[in-house]
Amino acid sequence: MQRLIDAFINSVRAFRKLAAHEKAFQQELMLLALALPAGWFISVSWRGYALLIGAVLLLIMVEVLNTGIEAACDAISREFHIEIQLAKDCGSLAVLISIVIAGGVWGIALIERLIGAPI
């Protein structure tokens, strides 16, 4: 049980640090705050609502992992290394892919709401 408590404490510490200092994380938290009520009105089912919110949470999760990759790379060296650049670029690509996924999920949900039938 102590491991779970320690993991929770570590997670809260990371959340606070990211919420206070990482602009992208702050923007995604605001997006989540907007998505929670908007998703309720856009979705046509509970499953759809879960998918909409899940897509935003996926984006936040990938952003957290990207920030972790960047922090680890910066801790190793601040000098240019092609391998470090690749690691950071891959993290950035993962965020971009998650943005495309979230945008696609929300776009499909909006279309379903507007035409009144599932696609």
Side-chain angles (χ1 to χ4, degrees), residues 9-94:
I9 291 169
N10 294 340
S11 298
V12 170
R13 182 176 57 241
F15 181 89
R16 285 182 179 162
K17 178 139 181 124
L18 293 177
H21 301 289
E22 289 294 325
K23 199 67 163 168
F25 187 74
Q26 293 167 353
Q27 291 170 344
E28 290 158 3
L29 286 179
M30 288 190 301
L31 179 64
L32 178 62
L34 293 172
L36 288 168
W40 178 258
F41 294 105
I42 293 170
S43 66
V44 294
S45 69
W46 282 103
R47 209 172 306 155
Y49 182 72
L51 188 59
L52 290 172
I53 301 307
V56 176
L57 290 173
L58 173 72
L59 171 60
I60 292 171
M61 180 180 67
V62 173
E63 183 64 50
V64 168
L65 294 172
N66 181 49
T67 302
I69 290 168
E70 290 178 355
C73 289
D74 290 345
I76 292 169
S77 175
R78 295 245 181 208
E79 295 178 19
F80 177 81
H81 294 282
I82 193 73
E83 295 86 2
I84 289 177
Q85 180 186 21
L86 178 60
K88 288 183 171 187
D89 289 349
C90 287
S92 179
L93 175 59

